[in-house]
Amino acid sequence: MKKTTLIIMAGLLITTSKTIAVTPPVEDFKYSVDKFADIEILHYRVPDFEKLSLKQKEMIYYLTEAALAGRDILFDQNNKYNLTIRKTLEAVYLNYKGDKESAEFAQLTTFMKRVWMGNGIHHHYSEDKFIPDFSAAYFSKTVKSIDPKKLPLGKGETVDQLVAKLTPILFDSSIFPKRTNQAEGVDLILSSANNYYEGVTQAEVEAFYAKMKNPNDNTPISYGLNSKLVKENGVLVEKTYKVGGMYGKTIEQIIVWLEKAASVAENNKQRDVILTLIDFYKTGNLKTYDDYCIKWVKDLDSQIDFVNGFTETYGDPLGMKASWESIVNFKNIEATKRTEIISSNAQWFEDNSPVDKKFKKETVKGVSAKVITVAILAGDCYPATPIGINLPNANWIRRDHGSKSVTIENITEAYDQASLGNGFAEEFMWSDVERKRAKEYASMTNNLHTDLHECLGHGSGKLLPGVDPDALKAYGSTIEEARADLFGLYYMGDPKMLELTLLPSNEAYKAEYYQFIMNGLMTQLTRIQPGKNIEEAHMRNRQLIAGWVYEKGKADKVIEFTKRDGETFIVINDYQKLRRLFGELLAEIQRIRSTGDFEGGKQLVEMYAVKVNQTLHAEVLERYKKLNLAPYRGFVNPVYTLVKNAKGEVTDVTILYTENYVNQHLRYGKDYSFGF
Ligand code: ZN
């Protein structure tokens, strides 16, 4: 998963029988739709939706419904009380009869928006719990003033009990302070606020799964992926997410829509993918899940594609349990030509990387890559979303069957369009040389770096036989992201890029290098609260890389911190040497990953990736504040409507971009909450 980019596509005009459907052109589109706390909410366009066939549009419609149906699962996974809190806030927002113009009501509204953004009471990125600005007394007063029937009361629960239950969770900063704790030296399970485990210690979890794992199994299932581990009567029990199990009612709804999608699938292969997923949802059998992943990774001909399920494990400090997410998308055929060039040269990239030969793959299998247009974001991909995805995650499936890698270009378009002329480059880049390069090449190189990261980086290299894929434990995600980023960075400066026509000049890569280093050493600190360290894996990875190459190139002044009028800037003096340093670090990171060198990984991460230079941080925050920009962005989805004729036949699917952030979440809360 990674960052920002840009491509401009013309709004296309397609005439259907009655209506004229047009994707609004970039210049007429209102990207930014809401702003609160540290968040800006954007709309994204879905270019070429109108070019799809009726059957394809219908399939997308059903898959978007399946995506939205799972929404509550993620709230519950993030914290046991999230759903009750969300529903309580929404009930007050909608039904409170007192003063809705007061400062406190505005604070309650902002808090509710933050809960939507975080899919719970923790910040989506820092994972710290946020505390309301309104008082506990105001919370109590407003909740008690509304009709109890509107509140999410438990069986036999009174309103007073509900308020008493939620008040400490909302207002006491020492309760559930961190959603996923990665900090050294404490029990990572007990100190994490998420809901993947209950009443168990880290040691118990590790012992439980160590007993299940067979080190000689070459094709292991993803242990623990789709379950919660709890202690019942002193015994550890896995509660599986499936029909008839945990989240059963919600999963049934997902299946209803998946079945409809299967009925209009583009081809048999795709239908089989969906039916296998349904089978997995019904049984919770992780072997079936692997079958599904293998079928999914081999479905390359369909234009429509989707992710729907328990997928990424960032939310579990031990990296086993997966959060629920969904996106629905279709291939951007024109832009995909670029990634096809990369994929078809995958073996060349593997063979020529600066990594030790014994850590390389002899044969790189099935690296498939495409550029996609998303139609909906849901679960852990909403409101904040990745701009590139590489799945499946199981190492052996990637080894034996390959992986699918995508770049989400209509999202990067929204980021870039919303950023044009916001003053960021003027404030932080050293000179017009860097700014000019950025203007000319940054969108292109950003896209390309994402492609290389996803199509080649994650798929490159191999583990030595017998190495536990989880050997790096809490450091695994950071090391893995660094590996993928470095693979891309190293090759961006390679003459091969020009030869393959992926870049238009041998200056272009410098735009990405400058931006990456500036971001990793300085500007990403805009996302960190004063006094805090860096926690999130992608951010750690960027500071690790930038900090390491700065340090190692110090004697040669490859990169310098320079002052002008008391402000700090990054200057890069030698781009080719910088490239060689990227190569050296890539070789070391691959060695750590391939050999499962926990101590080596820990040392690199703790030394370069975690700690923040407080003086520089304060300066960056001060300068950033003047720009009045939101450091984080989320999205609202377009609204799809199925159009039917008098006979009940589907005649069209329309798409609207007019729903705002508040209305979307209130509607989702009303229409897509099925209970568990
Ligand atoms: Zn990645």
Side-chain angles (χ1 to χ4, degrees), residues 1 453-454 458 481 538:
M1 314 216 301
H453 174 116
E454 301 291 349
H458 281 304
E481 291 310 321
H538 294 78

Side-chain angles (χ1 to χ4, degrees), residues 343-476:
S343 298
S344 57
N345 287 281
Q347 193 65 51
W348 184 91
F349 286 107
E350 184 76 358
D351 293 346
N352 288 278
S353 88
V355 159
D356 191 317
K357 201 159 176 255
K358 59 180 178 287
F359 307 139
K360 287 185 189 180
K361 279 196 178 115
E362 292 77 16
T363 338
V364 184
K365 263 188 208 163
V367 182
S368 82
K370 59 186 175 181
V371 178
I372 60 166
T373 303
V374 289
I376 205 104
L377 306 166
D380 219 356
C381 295
Y382 170 86
T385 185
I387 61 166
I389 297 181
N390 184 311
L391 290 171
N393 281 328
N395 255 296
W396 71 266
I397 298 181
R398 303 167 74 87
R399 180 193 69 212
D400 296 350
H401 304 279
S403 63
K404 245 197 248 182
S405 174
V406 303
T407 307
I408 310 176
E409 218 148 89
N410 60 327
I411 293 298
T412 58
E413 173 198 283
Y415 279 129
D416 283 352
Q417 289 298 324
S419 298
L420 282 180
N422 67 9
F424 190 83
E426 284 66 25
E427 177 61 40
F428 289 106
M429 287 187 175
W430 169 242
S431 75
D432 283 340
V433 175
E434 286 80 10
R435 276 187 285 272
K436 191 166 165 278
R437 244 187 236 132
K439 210 171 169 196
E440 203 165 348
Y441 301 118
S443 290
M444 182 190 303
T445 55
N446 239 317
N447 269 333
L448 184 60
H449 189 204
T450 306
D451 294 339
L452 293 167
H453 174 116
E454 301 291 349
C455 318
L456 301 178
H458 281 304
S460 72
K462 66 173 182 192
L463 301 181
L464 292 185
V467 169
D468 178 358
D470 300 326
L472 303 177
K473 294 189 182 154
Y475 302 104

Side-chain angles (χ1 to χ4, degrees), residues 257-419:
W257 293 108
L258 287 178
E259 280 172 345
K260 286 183 196 279
S263 75
V264 289
E266 292 174 277
N267 52 60
N268 286 334
K269 222 173 176 178
Q270 188 183 49
R271 182 172 301 112
D272 191 33
V273 171
I274 300 173
L275 294 177
T276 311
L277 176 61
I278 291 171
D279 193 22
F280 165 66
Y281 272 137
K282 285 180 175 167
T283 60
N285 185 337
L286 284 168
K287 198 84 204 131
T288 309
Y289 179 69
D290 286 345
D291 291 344
Y292 155 71
C293 288
I294 292 165
K295 287 175 181 175
W296 178 82
V297 87
K298 288 182 175 169
D299 176 20
L300 299 173
D301 301 329
S302 312
Q303 191 180 0
I304 296 171
D305 207 347
F306 67 96
V307 175
N308 183 306
F310 304 98
T311 312
E312 300 288 356
T313 57
Y314 300 108
D316 174 3
L318 300 180
M320 283 185 288
K321 312 229 167 259
S323 60
W324 192 89
E325 70 176 38
S326 181
I327 67 166
V328 180
N329 67 80
F330 56 94
K331 197 190 286 182
N332 177 336
I333 291 166
E334 195 47 45
T336 295
K337 288 175 187 155
R338 184 182 75 224
T339 56
E340 280 165 356
I341 294 175
I342 296 171
S343 298
S344 57
N345 287 281
Q347 193 65 51
W348 184 91
F349 286 107
E350 184 76 358
D351 293 346
N352 288 278
S353 88
V355 159
D356 191 317
K357 201 159 176 255
K358 59 180 178 287
F359 307 139
K360 287 185 189 180
K361 279 196 178 115
E362 292 77 16
T363 338
V364 184
K365 263 188 208 163
V367 182
S368 82
K370 59 186 175 181
V371 178
I372 60 166
T373 303
V374 289
I376 205 104
L377 306 166
D380 219 356
C381 295
Y382 170 86
T385 185
I387 61 166
I389 297 181
N390 184 311
L391 290 171
N393 281 328
N395 255 296
W396 71 266
I397 298 181
R398 303 167 74 87
R399 180 193 69 212
D400 296 350
H401 304 279
S403 63
K404 245 197 248 182
S405 174
V406 303
T407 307
I408 310 176
E409 218 148 89
N410 60 327
I411 293 298
T412 58
E413 173 198 283
Y415 279 129
D416 283 352
Q417 289 298 324
S419 298

Side-chain angles (χ1 to χ4, degrees), residues 38-316:
D38 53 355
I39 309 289
E40 181 182 22
I41 299 290
L42 307 180
H43 262 302
Y44 60 92
R45 305 185 314 141
V46 187
D48 292 351
F49 179 75
E50 60 272 17
K51 270 185 163 179
L52 299 171
S53 73
L54 176 59
K55 208 170 148 191
Q56 286 178 313
K57 286 192 218 172
E58 191 180 347
M59 185 183 182
I60 286 185
Y61 176 82
Y62 297 140
L63 288 171
T64 61
E65 288 293 311
L68 296 173
R71 179 170 183 252
D72 281 358
I73 294 175
L74 181 70
F75 274 83
D76 187 67
Q77 287 180 315
N78 282 343
N79 182 267
K80 205 179 155 169
Y81 297 96
N82 277 338
L83 280 172
T84 312
I85 288 169
R86 188 192 82 200
K87 288 176 182 184
T88 304
L89 292 168
E90 289 171 359
V92 171
Y93 179 81
L94 289 169
N95 301 294
Y96 182 55
K97 295 279 189 290
D99 182 7
K100 286 194 169 179
E101 303 298 320
S102 72
E104 282 176 311
F105 193 79
Q107 288 159 349
L108 183 132
T109 306
T110 298
F111 186 77
M112 178 178 69
K113 289 181 178 181
R114 297 186 77 186
V115 168
W116 290 332
M117 181 69 193
N119 290 290
I121 54 177
H122 297 89
H123 191 274
H124 73 284
Y125 211 85
S126 74
E127 309 200 356
D128 292 322
K129 189 169 84 170
F130 37 82
I131 305 291
D133 290 327
F134 54 91
S135 66
Y138 183 75
F139 177 68
S140 172
K141 178 183 100 177
T142 51
V143 174
K144 287 174 184 172
S145 76
I146 66 173
D147 179 357
K149 284 207 246 355
K150 309 279 186 192
L151 291 167
L153 295 169
K155 213 176 165 200
E157 190 176 38
T158 66
V159 178
D160 283 348
Q161 286 167 336
L162 175 74
V163 170
K165 177 173 79 183
L166 297 185
T167 298
I169 294 162
L170 288 172
F171 295 93
D172 183 342
S173 57
S174 69
I175 297 174
F176 295 136
K178 194 96 197 166
R179 190 170 76 201
T180 310
N181 182 39
Q182 314 266 16
E184 270 285 279
V186 286
D187 186 309
L188 297 180
I189 298 299
L190 293 179
S191 57
S192 292
N194 57 32
N195 193 23
Y196 296 112
Y197 304 93
E198 197 165 350
V200 291
T201 65
Q202 183 178 348
E204 285 172 323
V205 175
E206 283 172 347
F208 182 85
Y209 286 106
K211 224 190 293 171
M212 271 189 193
K213 288 183 186 175
N214 170 3
N216 300 318
D217 186 352
N218 225 3
T219 60
I221 57 166
S222 301
Y223 290 98
L225 188 81
N226 63 334
S227 63
K228 175 175 177 176
L229 189 66
V230 299
K231 200 187 269 178
E232 281 180 349
N233 307 318
V235 184
L236 295 189
V237 189
E238 265 192 338
K239 301 213 150 180
T240 303
Y241 313 148
K242 60 172 185 175
V243 171
M246 247 189 114
Y247 306 138
K249 281 187 190 151
T250 296
I251 289 173
E252 279 171 29
Q253 285 298 318
I254 297 171
I255 291 175
V256 165
W257 293 108
L258 287 178
E259 280 172 345
K260 286 183 196 279
S263 75
V264 289
E266 292 174 277
N267 52 60
N268 286 334
K269 222 173 176 178
Q270 188 183 49
R271 182 172 301 112
D272 191 33
V273 171
I274 300 173
L275 294 177
T276 311
L277 176 61
I278 291 171
D279 193 22
F280 165 66
Y281 272 137
K282 285 180 175 167
T283 60
N285 185 337
L286 284 168
K287 198 84 204 131
T288 309
Y289 179 69
D290 286 345
D291 291 344
Y292 155 71
C293 288
I294 292 165
K295 287 175 181 175
W296 178 82
V297 87
K298 288 182 175 169
D299 176 20
L300 299 173
D301 301 329
S302 312
Q303 191 180 0
I304 296 171
D305 207 347
F306 67 96
V307 175
N308 183 306
F310 304 98
T311 312
E312 300 288 356
T313 57
Y314 300 108
D316 174 3

